Every structure is written in structure tokens, then in C-alpha cells.
Amino acid sequence: MSYFSPSIEKLIESFERLPSIGNKTAIRLAFYMLNASKEETDNFIKSIQDAKNNLKMCSKCYNISDTDPCNICSDAKRDATKICVVEDVKDLVAIERIHEYNGLYHVLHGSISPMDGIGPDDIKIKELLTRLMDGNVKEVILATNPKVEGEATAMYISKLIKPMGIKATRLAHGIPVGGDLEYTDEFTLGKAFEGRTEL
Amino acid sequence: MSYFSPSIEKLIESFERLPSIGNKTAIRLAFYMLNASKEETDNFIKSIQDAKNNLKMCSKCYNISDTDPCNICSDAKRDATKICVVEDVKDLVAIERIHEYNGLYHVLHGSISPMDGIGPDDIKIKELLTRLMDGNVKEVILATNPKVEGEATAMYISKLIKPMGIKATRLAHGIPVGGDLEYTDEFTLGKAFEGRTEL
């Protein structure tokens, strides 16, 4: 049973449907919206509508962008011999933030996950292979997440591209910088051992 | 510097402006919106627009409601001799949830707070006094928050209504049910002592 007026209740439900928003936060957000100026709510609504209307997938790398090709694909200073394969746009942004990588990207929009009924054809793998056909790419960095699905996706792709003479690499596993050996899980510690480097 | 496309960036900023939403949650919400169906985003936007357009203040108690008077003021089964004064609509809903109180409400929409430049005339105190003029009300329960501003507001109102022969009451302070004496702050414990009841 609800104690709020129907319109407030619907607004709270709308916010509650969003990820990581519980009932208490939804109530707080709904009342914030009610008390906000018309300009503020209009701006909020416009930002959603603009994003939905303006954004498109880059037809080369499947990044989501206001332009097609996206600003990364259309940047001539980028090294076009490297493609970093990520599961989604948030991963691409995470890599851009480190200012280390100057190549191109390919966004898969998911990972192979038979449990969820997602096969290789449901993500942008074919599109990656088409990109590799022109022979310019020397290295594909498989930066899918270090989870079962991400590992399987990386393995699957590496098997397809190795016969094409393209180097397939994977990000290193190891102890996080500033991390603590004592609290590192055994798999990570095992990988850190495997990948140890000479000083 | 931003690594997202302008439209995504604006959407993230829009979410970040909401209370209790940090940068990471804003990014999650923005991408949720981007991936949501058109129907889902349209419904979300409509719930905000409907709430802003349909909701009005009840002209009696200043509750926010789809109808005027609100469903509480227009309920003939409610005890019109009692008015519970609260700071905002969320407090009203909190009291409705306990199913104990059957009187009417008066929403002040704030509390007296000289630090924030909010005086008695900036909240609905005059409107409360006008409601009390008809002489029907026997008790005013001052359920403002037990903070400096709420206490000051309760004191201010009680001084105005006592000369009218109306009983002014305040919610009891004490140890929360299931609480622990050891962890109760000294002010609350002091109030709990003061308000001790005979068994």
C-alpha cells in the first residue's frame, strides 16, 4: 500500500527501476525532482532525449558517439595498427583514462555467455574480423574482463585471428598497485607468479 | 577532460546533479538510459512530466497531492480535532506508515533556520494559525525533526498556539526500540531518563 499521491508514487517507481537505486534513494530523487525548478527538470529531460536521439554507434569500432566515425576512429594521430577489443564503452573510457594507449578500439557490446544465451554472433566479433581483413592491423589487445565470459571471448577471438598472422595479446594479471599480498586471492596471486618479470 | 561523447557526458552530468548520485552511479545510470528501450525512457520522462504537471499543494494542509484538498483532508473519517505539524511530505508519509495516527496534518515545507535565512514567514506557519482560528482543533502535535531547527520551530509554534487554548504536544524522545543503551548518545539517554514512565 502506498501513502504517496499516484503521480509521486509513479515517479518513485520510475526511479526505483533504475540500477543501484533503492526505495529510499528513489523517494529522495522523486522529491528532488518535484522541488526542482521547471528549467532544471526540462534540462534533465532534454539531456536524456538528446542522448537517445544524437548518439549512434560508430560504424567502424562500435563505440557510442555523437559522430560516425567516432572521434577516436577519425583521429589520424592514432596508431591504426593496434586494436584494443573491449566489452563495452565504459571499458574503453577506463583505458582512455590511463593515457597510455594510442591505438584504436573495437567494442564488442557484450561477451560470449552461453548461460545467458549470448553466442559469438550476438556480439561484434564478425565486424572485428571484417576490420582485420585489410591487413593493416598488427596487434589485437583482448581487453575483455578477467571473468569466465571475458576469458572465453578472448580465447575464441584469439583462435580466429592467430591464423591471420595478427598478434593477439591479453592484459596482464597481477597484484594491484598498492595492493597487499596477504589479501590477494589465490587465482590473482597465481597469475602474478606466472607473469613475474626479471628486475 | 572527458572521454565520453558530448551527449553522454551531458547525460552523466545530469544524473550527477541529483542528490546522493556520485560519478560512478551517474555513469551507470547514463548507460542504462542509453541501452533502455524507447518506451522505457519515454515512460521515465512522462512520470517526471506528469508529477510536475499534476501535483499541487493541498490548499488546507499543504501536502503535495494529485487532488486539492488532498486525500487526507477530504477523508471524513479522519479526526479533525488533531493536527500533526511536519516539516515535509516525507515526514507525513513516515507517520502514515505507522497506522497509529488518525488526525489531519499540516506541512510546513521547512523549519525556522536563521543560518539559512529561513524565518517564520518563509514556512507555512501563518497558514497553520489560520486553520486553527475556527476553534475545532484541540491538539497540535509538533512533529518537526529533533534537531536545532525543528526544536526551534516547535517552540515558536507552541508559544503562538498555547494562548489560543489549544494543546501543543511533541513526540517523545528516547532509546529506539531494539536499541542499545551502551550506544545511545548522551542527549537521547538524558531525554529517555526525563521521559521515563511508571510500570
Side-chain angles (χ1 to χ4, degrees):
Chain A
M1 194 200 149
S2 163
Y3 304 97
F4 290 106
S5 282
S7 297
I8 305 184
E9 192 58 35
K10 264 189 208 140
L11 186 58
I12 295 171
E13 277 168 22
S14 279
F15 276 112
E16 237 177 330
R17 220 167 282 137
L18 303 180
S20 68
I21 304 289
N23 179 256
K24 296 230 164 171
T25 310
I27 292 174
R28 192 179 308 139
L29 294 175
F31 275 92
Y32 175 83
M33 276 292 159
L34 286 179
N35 295 324
S37 67
K38 188 168 161 27
E39 196 198 339
E40 204 170 345
T41 27
D42 286 352
N43 283 342
F44 181 76
I45 288 171
K46 194 173 174 306
S47 71
I48 297 175
Q49 288 169 332
D50 283 353
K52 294 296 274 189
N53 294 334
N54 300 347
L55 291 168
K56 34 195 160 284
M57 268 191 200
C58 171
S59 57
K60 285 180 144 182
C61 75
Y62 299 92
N63 183 11
I64 292 171
S65 169
D66 286 275
T67 54
D68 179 20
C70 74
N71 55 338
I72 295 174
C73 284
S74 54
D75 184 349
K77 281 183 300 219
R78 288 271 178 166
D79 179 358
T81 66
K82 287 196 185 80
I83 289 184
C84 179
V85 175
V86 290
E87 289 180 26
D88 69 28
V89 177
K90 282 174 277 188
D91 299 332
L92 181 159
V93 169
I95 294 171
E96 281 296 280
R97 279 215 186 98
I98 58 172
H99 294 276
E100 283 284 337
Y101 178 69
N102 193 36
L104 302 179
Y105 289 94
H106 189 86
V107 185
L108 293 174
H109 289 278
S111 52
I112 298 172
S113 173
M115 296 278 281
D116 304 310
I118 302 170
D121 293 342
D122 299 314
I123 60 177
K124 308 286 181 196
I125 292 181
K126 256 183 301 182
E127 291 80 354
L128 173 64
L129 299 177
T130 313
R131 282 181 79 183
L132 300 177
M133 290 299 177
D134 63 7
N136 285 334
V137 179
K138 303 277 172 274
E139 181 182 358
V140 171
I141 301 155
L142 295 159
T144 50
N145 285 312
K147 294 177 186 166
V148 179
E149 295 84 6
E151 294 288 358
T153 308
M155 286 305 295
Y156 182 90
I157 296 174
S158 71
K159 275 181 190 153
L160 290 173
I161 64 179
K162 272 185 192 160
M164 300 167 87
I166 299 168
K167 193 159 82 171
T169 57
R170 188 104 178 90
L171 297 185
H173 286 299
I175 305 156
V177 177
D180 203 322
L181 267 180
E182 191 181 344
Y183 300 117
T184 306
D185 68 276
E186 52 209 290
F187 298 105
T188 305
L189 203 52
K191 295 275 189 184
F193 252 95
E194 268 177 46
R196 64 190 181 278
T197 53
E198 215 178 302
L199 292 177
Chain B
M1 191 198 153
S2 164
Y3 305 97
F4 291 106
S5 280
S7 297
I8 305 186
E9 193 57 38
K10 264 190 208 142
L11 185 58
I12 294 172
E13 276 168 21
S14 278
F15 276 112
E16 235 176 333
R17 219 166 284 138
L18 303 180
S20 67
I21 304 288
N23 181 258
K24 296 230 164 173
T25 310
I27 293 175
R28 193 178 307 139
L29 294 175
F31 276 92
Y32 176 84
M33 277 293 159
L34 286 180
N35 294 323
S37 66
K38 187 167 161 31
E39 196 198 339
E40 204 170 344
T41 26
D42 286 352
N43 283 341
F44 181 76
I45 288 170
K46 195 173 174 303
S47 72
I48 297 175
Q49 287 169 332
D50 282 354
K52 294 294 276 190
N53 294 334
N54 300 346
L55 291 168
K56 33 195 159 284
M57 268 192 199
C58 170
S59 57
K60 283 180 144 182
C61 74
Y62 299 92
N63 183 12
I64 293 172
S65 169
D66 286 275
T67 55
D68 180 20
C70 73
N71 55 337
I72 295 174
C73 284
S74 54
D75 184 349
K77 282 182 299 215
R78 289 269 178 167
D79 179 358
T81 66
K82 287 194 185 79
I83 289 183
C84 179
V85 175
V86 289
E87 289 180 26
D88 69 28
V89 177
K90 282 175 275 188
D91 299 333
L92 180 158
V93 169
I95 294 171
E96 280 295 281
R97 279 213 185 98
I98 58 173
H99 293 278
E100 283 284 337
Y101 178 68
N102 193 38
L104 301 179
Y105 288 93
H106 189 86
V107 184
L108 294 174
H109 289 276
S111 52
I112 298 171
S113 172
M115 295 276 281
D116 304 309
I118 303 170
D121 292 342
D122 299 314
I123 58 177
K124 308 285 180 195
I125 292 181
K126 255 184 302 182
E127 290 80 353
L128 172 65
L129 299 176
T130 313
R131 280 181 81 183
L132 299 176
M133 290 299 178
D134 63 9
N136 284 334
V137 178
K138 304 276 173 275
E139 181 181 356
V140 171
I141 302 155
L142 295 159
T144 50
N145 285 313
K147 295 176 186 166
V148 178
E149 296 82 7
E151 295 287 358
T153 309
M155 286 306 295
Y156 182 88
I157 296 175
S158 73
K159 274 183 190 152
L160 290 173
I161 63 180
K162 272 184 191 162
M164 301 167 87
I166 299 168
K167 193 159 81 171
T169 57
R170 188 103 178 91
L171 297 185
H173 286 300
I175 306 156
V177 177
D180 203 322
L181 267 181
E182 191 180 343
Y183 301 117
T184 306
D185 69 276
E186 52 210 288
F187 298 105
T188 305
L189 203 53
K191 294 276 188 183
F193 253 97
E194 267 177 46
R196 65 189 181 279
T197 53
E198 214 178 302
L199 293 177

